[in-house]
Structure formats: structure tokens, C-alpha cells
Amino acid sequence: MSVNSYKEDEHSIGTGKWNTLKRLFSYLLLYKKKIAFVLIIMGFCVSVSLLNPLFMEYAIDDDIASGNMIGLMQLILVAVILNLVMIAGIRLRMYLMADITNSILVTIRQELYTHIQTLDFNFFDSRPTGKILSRIIGDINSLKDVLGNFVTTMIPDLITVIAVAGIMLIKNPPLALAALCSLPLMAFGMWLIQTVSHKRWQIFRKKASNLNAFIHEDISGIRVIQSFTAEQETAQTFRELVKEHRHSFIRACRINDSLGSIIDFSWGLGVATMYFIGIRILGTDQVSLGTFIAFGTYIGMFWSPIMNLSNFYNQIITNLAAAERIFEVLDTRSEITDEKDAVMPPMKGDVTFQDVCFSYDGMVNVLQDVSFHISPGETIALVGPTGAGKTTIVNLISRFYDVQKGAVLVDGINIRDVTTYSLRSQMGIMTQDNFLFTGTIRDNIRYGKLDATDEEIIAAAKAVHAHEFIIKLEKGYDTELKERGGGLSVGQKQLLAFARTMISDPSILILDEATSSIDTNTELLVQEGIEVLLKDRTSFVIAHRLSTIQKADRIFVIDQGGILEEGNVHELLEKKGAYYRLHMAQMALPVS
């Protein structure tokens, strides 16, 4: 496995940073009342912190200078009470914002998950599962601090910076201007850093996604890796991906960390300039001791929020890439859309292909001008070499993909003119991947019909001869299955998937390699269940074992982008064409 298989394009950098931020912070509006209350609390806390230096200045220049101890004690009492209330307000603010931000994360994650459920197969075909998981879990979690600190850090610190600057300018403009002289230097440094930093954090997010995708695939395919003794090769690939991940993180952090040094330098330069101007130029006769102490406190109150704002700015730069990746998925639209709200009426099972052309990549047609008509109740078998287009045909009937040319009709209705839900809810589809969910056997069978009774579940299992092995398990139908049905044989998993399809009682049935993993003896038993299931409903059966389709009404031999031959088993054997050669190959007899 090559490292390049897991790489994303590092140059696909988004440009709408402010739109992304605006969209992200719009989620805060869902909690306007709570946030308004938090802002009131923060307004009080900021006011108390701004008053503290004035209390100090008044205490030094007035109460202490005049020996007014009673006034000093009263001032201290008022200050202590206000500061205790401020501390309580800060704790309440932290609790409320934690509740708000966690609620927002739940909302975004639910929106993302729900949206992904609506996307078509093309989306999943082009993205490893690990990269999708990275966006649902890791990218969303990284937004927590940004959302919380926007209210608890950015707003109060911004107010503090403006208020402190205003107070200093009112009290002593020359001293204030001296203290703030290094602001242009800091602003230029922040602009320079963000220009480089955002791109580096985007690259880091992509590297993290690549690593997550590899780990997910590696663990999912661990049996194959160990079977082919490929542990060393995968470990080498992992080391290379980790190395890229680490390198991208260091590069991003290095530029981010330099912002703190710029602010520290600007802070120190402002303090030094203020004291130089105050002592050497203005002189102590124009600036009292209390004013010097108050300004020293205020300049700390000015630059400390600046430092907090810079850290918040770093958080935004760091996590903006995560927000962009989330919104990229949310903005992805399914190619399979319900153009009309019409509902498919109860199906009879009449299926027609009219000059259908289809390509997965837009370049090579898998199907080329395919046309056929299936009457209600017919059983159609699709045979042919791997990659010929058998599964593509049934995927188009189910509208998992849309045709590029032509039309697919069910009961004379173009399937693009009805909702996909009303179409698929009347179809039973058993795919090649017999996926079983974590849960009980009963729940997995009921997935085909969510309101099915226990009696219906048992009847479906008996029909496909799954009941026999289920009741031998320790908890029977209540046996808990592990991920993907771990603990069951491949054949047992296929029987459960078959029971799940049978219980849905569909009008159109699609069986894609329904018995490929079942032993010959069990296959003979399952065929009885299949015959019951196929009766009086339109069915499409894809099979490599020709013995399983002998009773099909018609057999389509699919190859070279179309239907090479068509007929029942006897007609096709008499032709001695493509089907005859397939039949002879499976019977291990020479072709005459």
C-alpha cells in the first residue's frame, strides 16, 4: 500500500475564511437568550475589573495620602464584595458556555451525520471511510474551544481592550499614547502570521485525515494483512504517514508560536515607552504615584487581553480548516435528488430500460444503449464475467446511480420522477456485501421491516434455513452480534442477510450473489426459500453459479456494455453461444 493512496491534495485550500467563520458562529444564535445572559454576566465582570485600578488609585492618592482610614476600609469592603460576586459570575459563565458549546457540537454533528445519510454512492466511492469519520468526530470536536471562547474570550477581552484604552486616553493622553505606541507593530505581525499559518493548519488537517483513513482501513483489513504477512509493509506506510503528520504539525505550531513572541515584545516596548515618557519627559510633578500605579495595572489589563485574543486568533486559524472540511461535506449535494415530490404508487413490477448508457467515471461506458422490458412477476437472471455490468443494472433500477442517457421505467414511470424513498421502500435488495450491524440477530433481520413481529422474523429465518443455526446459539435470536457479524461464518452471515431481505416482502426483488457463500447442501435448502420469495414478484438474480438460475424465466448474458444473449436456459444452451461456454466451463467439459 502506497502512502500516496491516502493523500489529499495539499493545494486545495479554501478561500472563504470569513464566510466560514460567519457560518460557524451563526450556530450561537440558536441560543440567543442564554448567550445574552452570559454577556450580561461578563459585562458586570469586566466592569469590576476596570474599576479595580481606579479603586487603587483613589486609595493611594486620596484615602492613604489624607489618612482617611475609615474611607479606605469602606473602599476595600466594596471592592472585596464586588470581586467575590465577579468570581461567582465567572464560574456561572463557564458553566453556561460549556452547556451551549456542547449543545452546538451535538447539533452540527447531527446535521453532518443526517446529511451524509442522504448522499449518493458516488460520494462514498470517492472517499475512504476513515476520512469521513475524521470529519464527523475529530473535526467537530476541535470546534468546541473556538465556539466557547468566541463568547467568553473574544467579546469580553475586546470590550476590555477598548475600555482600558479609552480610560487611559481620558486620564492622561500622552501617557496612553506612549503605552500604545507598539500596536501597529503587533498588528503587522498578526497579519503576516495568519497569512502563512492558515494554509499550514489546513495541510495538517489533511495529514490527520490521511492517517485516520489508513488506520481505519488497516484495522478493517487486518486478516488480509496477516494472511499475506504484510505487517512490515503496512508498518512502514504508517511510519511515513505519522512522519508527515508530525512534520505538518510542527510547521504549523512553529509559525503560530511566534505570535506570542511578537505580543510579548510589543507589550514590553509599550511599558518601557510609557515609563520613559512619564518619568523623563512629563515628570513626576505631572503624573502622581497613584496614576503611575493605575497605568501600570491598566497596561497589563490592556496587553493581557491582547494575548488572550491572539491565542483565540490562533485557535481560529488552527481550527478554521476543520470548519471548512465540515461545511464542505454539508455543501456537497447528492447527484441523486428528488426532482419531484411524486410518490411511486404500489408497484406491479413492470421494468423497462430505454437506451440506457452509464459510466462511473464519465469516460468509459459500463452500459451502452441497453434496452429491455420485464413483465410483472418475471424472474430475470443476469450472468456474465466480472465487471460486465450486472450489478450496475440492478443499481440503476434501485436508483443508487442515475443514468447518463436513456431512462429506467418502473410500471411506465420514470424513476427520476418519483421520490427515492417511495421507490426503494417497495424493493428488496440483497447486495454482495452482507453487512450486519452491531446488535441482536433479531434486530438485524428486522432491519428489512422495522415493524416486523417476532413471528414474521422467525418465519423469514425458517424460509431461508437460518432458524436451525440461530436456535443453537446460546441466546438464539437475542444473540448479540459484533461489528460486521464477527463470530459467524460467512455463510451464516449470508443467510441472515437473506432473511432480512425476505422479510421486507418487496414488489421487486434484487439478489446479488445471494448464495455465493453458502455450501452446496445449504444452497439446495435455500433454493426452496428463494422459490417462495420469487413467486409472483419481479426478480433480478445475479449469480455466478449457473445451477442456481435454472428456473429463471429469462437469462441475460451481460458483456461488452450490453446484453449479448437473452432467453431461458434451454434456448441459450441450444444457441451454443456465450451462455453455453459459461455452462460448459462450470461443468468442466470441453467446449465443442
Side-chain angles (χ1 to χ4, degrees):
M1 291 179 285
S2 169
V3 177
N4 293 328
S5 303
Y6 302 92
K7 286 187 176 181
E8 292 184 60
D9 183 9
E10 295 178 5
H11 301 290
S12 57
I13 305 298
T15 56
K17 291 184 288 186
W18 296 114
N19 288 335
T20 301
L21 286 175
K22 181 180 177 182
R23 186 172 177 182
L24 176 61
F25 293 137
S26 68
Y27 284 92
L28 293 169
L29 297 178
L30 299 173
Y31 302 89
K32 288 180 288 189
K33 292 182 179 179
K34 283 187 177 181
I35 290 176
F37 183 55
V38 170
L39 290 176
I40 292 172
I41 294 174
M42 290 191 301
F44 172 78
C45 295
V46 169
S47 299
V48 173
S49 65
L50 292 173
L51 286 173
N52 283 333
L54 296 178
F55 288 153
M56 188 182 305
E57 181 184 19
Y58 185 84
I60 294 172
D61 289 347
D62 291 333
D63 290 339
I64 294 177
S66 63
N68 184 6
M69 292 298 105
I70 296 177
L72 179 63
M73 295 304 296
Q74 291 175 340
L75 187 64
I76 292 174
L77 180 61
V78 171
V80 168
I81 293 173
L82 288 175
N83 279 273
L84 287 175
V85 176
M86 179 182 71
I87 292 171
I90 291 173
R91 293 185 64 85
L92 178 60
R93 178 201 72 187
M94 292 172 61
Y95 172 80
L96 290 174
M97 283 311 303
D99 178 62
I100 292 171
T101 53
N102 281 300
S103 298
I104 290 174
L105 293 188
V106 170
T107 300
I108 296 176
R109 184 172 281 119
Q110 186 64 51
E111 281 186 12
L112 185 60
Y113 177 79
T114 303
H115 179 70
I116 287 175
Q117 295 287 302
T118 68
L119 297 177
D120 58 86
F121 281 10
N122 277 327
F123 175 84
F124 301 99
D125 291 343
S126 60
R127 291 169 175 83
T129 303
K131 292 189 177 183
I132 299 174
L133 287 175
S134 178
R135 303 193 186 203
I136 297 176
I137 299 173
D139 288 344
I140 289 180
N141 285 342
S142 67
L143 300 179
K144 181 176 181 179
D145 289 339
V146 175
L147 288 167
N149 288 339
F150 176 73
V151 176
T152 59
T153 297
M154 181 178 173
I155 294 177
D157 284 347
L158 199 58
I159 293 173
T160 300
V161 167
I162 296 171
V164 168
I167 291 172
M168 287 196 297
L169 286 169
I170 292 172
K171 289 189 67 65
N172 195 314
L175 212 57
L177 292 175
L180 305 179
C181 68
S182 56
L183 274 179
L185 174 64
M186 184 209 68
F188 174 75
M190 289 184 67
W191 172 82
L192 186 63
I193 288 172
Q194 76 87 23
T195 303
V196 180
S197 184
H198 178 61
K199 292 182 179 180
R200 290 191 179 182
W201 280 111
Q202 282 186 315
I203 293 173
F204 166 72
R205 286 287 171 192
K206 293 178 186 297
K207 297 298 183 184
S209 177
N210 296 341
L211 182 61
N212 194 55
F214 172 80
I215 293 172
H216 180 274
E217 185 175 64
D218 187 71
I219 294 174
S220 299
I222 191 65
R223 288 178 176 81
V224 176
I225 292 171
Q226 293 184 353
S227 298
F228 288 93
T229 63
E231 292 91 343
Q232 291 185 358
E233 287 77 4
T234 55
Q236 178 60 32
T237 303
F238 179 76
R239 281 192 293 270
E240 292 180 25
L241 289 171
V242 168
K243 183 179 178 181
E244 290 185 1
H245 178 265
R246 175 179 175 273
H247 178 66
S248 64
F249 180 72
I250 291 173
R251 289 185 73 242
C253 285
R254 186 179 293 130
I255 189 70
N256 262 38
D257 291 345
S258 61
L259 183 57
S261 300
I262 292 175
I263 292 175
D264 285 338
F265 178 78
S266 302
W267 188 342
L269 181 62
V271 171
T273 305
M274 181 196 74
Y275 281 116
F276 176 80
I277 296 294
I279 297 173
R280 298 297 300 271
I281 297 178
L282 297 179
T284 55
D285 56 329
Q286 295 188 35
V287 183
S288 68
L289 177 61
T291 301
F292 262 122
I293 294 175
F295 260 72
T297 305
Y298 274 129
I299 197 169
M301 291 180 64
F302 179 85
W303 284 103
S304 182
I306 291 288
M307 180 65 78
N308 292 336
L309 288 171
S310 72
N311 291 332
F312 175 66
Y313 186 67
N314 273 340
Q315 279 186 343
I316 290 179
I317 295 174
T318 302
N319 297 300
L320 187 60
E324 287 175 340
R325 287 159 56 82
I326 292 167
F327 293 139
E328 177 197 347
V329 176
L330 285 173
D331 291 337
T332 300
R333 292 290 167 257
S334 175
E335 296 179 11
I336 309 300
T337 57
D338 292 335
E339 299 172 1
K340 300 179 181 179
D341 294 330
V343 175
M344 172 66 74
M347 289 182 184
K348 298 175 182 177
D350 185 290
V351 178
T352 302
F353 268 44
Q354 294 180 344
D355 300 319
V356 168
C357 293
F358 178 77
S359 171
Y360 287 102
D361 58 10
M363 299 175 65
V364 179
N365 278 347
V366 179
L367 300 178
Q368 182 67 44
D369 296 323
V370 175
S371 297
F372 59 78
H373 175 256
I374 311 299
S375 300
E378 270 195 284
T379 297
I380 305 299
L382 304 176
V383 301
T386 300
K390 306 183 296 296
T391 300
T392 299
I393 288 176
V394 296
N395 280 340
L396 293 177
I397 297 172
S398 310
R399 208 187 168 202
F400 290 133
Y401 301 91
D402 273 337
V403 300
Q404 277 87 40
K405 178 186 174 185
V408 178
L409 309 179
V410 174
D411 295 345
I413 301 172
N414 191 323
I415 61 174
R416 300 182 73 161
D417 294 337
V418 297
T419 63
T420 53
Y421 178 82
S422 66
L423 173 71
R424 294 174 190 165
S425 62
Q426 300 186 62
M427 303 176 70
I429 305 166
M430 182 173 172
T431 62
Q432 293 172 326
D433 181 15
N434 303 310
F435 192 94
L436 296 178
F437 297 93
T438 300
T440 65
I441 288 177
R442 189 188 311 277
D443 291 339
N444 269 279
I445 296 176
R446 185 179 277 125
Y447 205 82
K449 183 183 177 184
L450 298 179
D451 59 349
T453 64
D454 289 346
E455 291 73 21
E456 290 175 313
I457 291 171
I458 294 172
K462 285 181 176 179
V464 298
H465 300 281
H467 180 74
E468 289 78 3
F469 88 81
I470 293 175
I471 59 175
K472 293 179 182 178
L473 299 174
E474 183 178 356
K475 296 183 179 179
Y477 284 86
D478 293 318
T479 300
E480 289 282 343
L481 299 180
K482 300 177 184 177
E483 184 180 4
R484 304 183 72 90
L488 299 179
S489 69
V490 176
Q492 288 172 331
K493 288 188 283 187
Q494 196 156 34
L495 287 174
L496 292 181
F498 195 76
R500 181 170 60 195
T501 304
M502 173 170 270
I503 202 172
S504 64
D505 191 26
S507 300
I508 294 178
L509 177 67
I510 294 172
L511 303 178
D512 192 347
E513 296 296 329
T515 60
S516 62
S517 300
I518 301 176
D519 62 83
T520 305
N521 291 330
T522 305
E523 182 182 330
L524 294 175
L525 296 174
V526 171
Q527 281 300 126
E528 299 174 9
I530 291 178
E531 290 178 17
V532 173
L533 185 58
L534 298 181
K535 186 177 181 181
D536 298 328
R537 56 170 51 93
T538 303
S539 305
F540 293 85
V541 181
I542 299 175
H544 285 296
R545 294 184 190 175
L546 301 185
S547 59
T548 63
I549 58 171
Q550 299 301 304
K551 296 183 180 180
D553 296 309
R554 279 189 287 168
I555 299 172
F556 291 171
V557 181
I558 311 297
D559 199 6
Q560 301 175 19
I563 301 174
L564 291 184
E565 294 180 348
E566 174 188 342
N568 61 40
V569 64
H570 303 294
E571 293 170 345
L572 293 178
L573 287 176
E574 289 177 2
K575 288 183 180 180
K576 293 191 175 182
Y579 181 82
Y580 178 79
R581 289 190 292 273
L582 288 172
H583 177 78
M584 290 296 104
Q586 291 201 7
M587 295 295 292
L589 293 176
V591 179
S592 59

